[in-house]
Each structure stands twice: as structure tokens, then as C-alpha cells.
Amino acid sequence: MIHGSVVALVTPMTASGAIDYAALARLVEYHVSSGTHGIVAVGTTGESPTLDMDEHVGVIAEVVRRVDGRLPVIGGTGANSTSEAIELTRAAADVGVDACLLVTPYYNKPTQEGLYRHFLAIAEAAPIPNILYNVPGRTACDLVTETTLRLALVPNIIGLKDATGSLERATELLSRCPADFWLFSGEDAVAAELMLRGYRGVISVTANVAPKAMAEMCEAALAGRREEALALDAPLQALHRDLFVESNPIPVKWALAELGLIEDGIRLPLTPLSAAHHATLHAALRQASLL
């Protein structure tokens, strides 16, 4: 059962940009031991746009192997090409993921009918649990509620990662989606409130650097313990905000490197965090008692 704090895992890299599989193994163990409830491998936080097909599937396969059934693993397999998304989703299913996360097609701006047909084609071609991912701020494409409801009728489309950050949208989704259609927050800053209202978890950037705190906050929120959940979330609010001072995953990879968990490697066109933001991230890490 996928729930709680699901980390949108970074893909660790060396200074040259090569994938650092030793660091990937350490990150998996870090999350298992810290209480993280699930892992998304090679989502957009995992720099999926700059990994080639072999690397993409290879990282997912390595996460599945290292997790070894201890946590659910979700493969990030979305693309703005339907055929590419089908190929990635089939490959992720073959290496043993529990579900796939499918971002809305970016840049080409399909119609709502195009979105429906895109996700339907993937679901029919790869009969594995599919979780849709709506993040209009990054994709220039919004999966509206009516289209989500149509797709919720497809048997293996099981949920939605909602990164609109809108409480109004969340209220609409909660009131209209089937009870067995899982809703996950894609925005750390509102995740506690959304889980208190009925979302089943968060697919989280903050959990990369604060896995134990995020897991504890999610457990309290899912149990309906409002005051405790909000108290646990308060020290994380600066991280929720400041891990986006530059485009994700630039700040979170820098923070992980500062914590000694990975090298500060990232691929172009992304670049290392600007020096002007170092003090801001240090302050956020200290507020969360990570430094």
C-alpha cells in the first residue's frame, strides 16, 4: 500500500555527471532506515529528462534491487512522447516496480482529449498500476478534474500526484474522485494539510534531506492528529520553500552534498546551486535540525 512520505529520489552523480551507483545504494539504505514509506526512482527530481533510456531503466532497476521489497518503488516513466512513455513504463514493469508515475506531457501542450488518450494508451499497453502526475507550473499543461475523473475509471490508473498547490483543487478532487483513487500531494508546503483532509501521502522533495521528520509528520497527519502533524511540519517549512530557490533538483542536490550523502554532481542544462543561495539553504537545514 503506497502512502505517507514517498521520496522523489535524486539521481546521485559524480562531478563529471556520471551516475554514482554507490551513492544511490547509500541513499536507499538511508531512506529505509529513516522510515520513508516509498521511493520514486527517476522522477523529474531524479533528472529524468537528461538520462538516456538505458540509464533511466538502469537506475530504476538498481533501486528495485537495493530496496529488495522493503518499500514500494515507483518508477518515473512519463514523457511528452506517448510511445516513449509506453516503452519506459513497460521496461519499469519488467524490472519489478510496484507502480509507475506518469507526468503530463510537457511543452507540446495537448488538449484534454489528448491527455486522456495519452494516459489511456499507456495504461492499456503496460498493465501495471499507473499514478498520474499533474504539475502545470513545470509542464505548461494542466490535467483538469474532469479528465482526471475519466481516467480514474481505467482499472490500472490508481491515483494522482497533485502538484497544483491549490487547496481549492484538492477539495474538488477529494469530493469527486472515487474512494479507491489515491491522491498524493506533489507540494511539500501543503502536504500536511492535504493529508489531514484526505490525501494518502506526499511525493516529496524535502524527504530527500529530512526523511525521518517527513515520515513522522505524514504518520501523524494520516492518523488525523492535526496539532502534532502541524507541529512536526513547522520546522520543515523553510526547506519546503527554499529547496526551490533555483530549479529543482539544483537546491536539494546541493543540500544532500552539504550533508555528505552525495557528491555535488548534476547534468547540464542544470548547474550547481549559485553561491548567493548557500546561506539561505544552510539556514533552512539548521531550522530543520539537520546541521
Side-chain angles (χ1 to χ4, degrees):
M1 297 291 288
I2 302 167
H3 71 284
S5 178
V6 181
V7 63
L9 193 68
V10 303
T11 300
M13 297 173 183
T14 65
S16 67
I19 294 171
D20 187 343
Y21 283 99
L24 183 64
R26 292 195 298 271
L27 288 181
V28 168
E29 292 306 317
Y30 177 54
H31 283 286
V32 172
S33 65
S34 298
T36 294
H37 301 110
I39 295 176
V40 172
V42 200
T44 47
T45 301
E47 293 174 80
S48 56
T50 60
L51 271 62
D52 65 32
M53 183 70 71
D54 289 342
E55 290 174 325
H56 195 131
V57 178
V59 171
I60 293 173
E62 183 65 5
V63 171
V64 170
R65 187 176 77 85
R66 293 288 180 176
V67 167
D68 193 25
R70 293 174 290 174
L71 299 174
V73 176
I74 303 166
T77 59
N80 63 349
S81 159
T82 304
S83 60
E84 181 181 343
I86 287 171
E87 183 179 359
L88 281 169
T89 304
R90 284 173 166 166
D94 287 343
V95 300
V97 297
D98 297 286
C100 287
L101 182 67
L102 298 155
V103 69
T104 52
Y106 39 88
Y107 185 78
N108 38 15
K109 298 176 75 171
T111 64
Q112 293 301 307
E113 182 63 23
L115 287 172
Y116 174 76
R117 295 187 188 186
H118 170 80
F119 288 122
L120 179 64
I122 299 165
E124 290 179 340
I128 185 173
N130 289 185
I131 299 170
L132 312 177
Y133 177 18
N134 189 32
V135 56
R138 292 289 291 254
T139 62
C141 174
D142 187 10
L143 183 70
V144 303
T145 301
E146 293 298 336
T147 307
T148 301
L149 293 171
R150 290 178 70 193
L151 289 164
L153 300 175
V154 180
N156 60 313
I157 295 180
I158 64 167
L160 171 73
K161 176 185 176 183
D162 166 25
T164 64
S166 166
L167 295 180
E168 182 179 1
R169 178 71 65 91
T171 299
E172 182 181 27
L173 289 166
L174 284 165
S175 67
R176 300 185 65 193
C177 286
D180 60 352
F181 188 75
W182 300 347
L183 295 170
F184 298 89
S185 176
E187 292 284 345
D188 283 303
V190 295
E193 181 61 36
L194 293 186
M195 282 183 282
L196 287 163
R197 295 186 183 201
Y199 278 40
R200 68 180 292 114
V202 56
I203 297 177
S204 170
V205 174
T206 300
N208 278 281
V209 294
K212 185 174 185 293
M214 282 298 295
E216 290 173 347
M217 180 275 286
C218 288
E219 288 165 5
L222 290 172
R225 302 193 298 269
R226 173 174 286 275
E227 290 186 7
E228 180 184 350
L230 296 180
L232 289 167
D233 192 50
L236 303 174
Q237 280 295 320
L239 278 176
H240 298 336
R241 179 189 67 236
D242 294 336
L243 286 175
F244 295 89
V245 290
E246 289 184 348
S247 295
N248 181 50
I250 291 171
V252 72
K253 293 193 90 172
W254 182 88
L256 284 166
E258 286 295 291
L259 296 175
L261 293 167
I262 63 171
E263 291 188 42
D264 192 16
I266 201 163
R267 286 188 179 178
L268 289 169
L270 300 182
T271 53
L273 184 70
S274 302
H277 297 305
H278 290 189
T280 299
L281 261 293
H282 274 141
L285 291 168
R286 285 193 296 271
Q287 183 171 325
S289 300
L290 296 170
L291 286 177

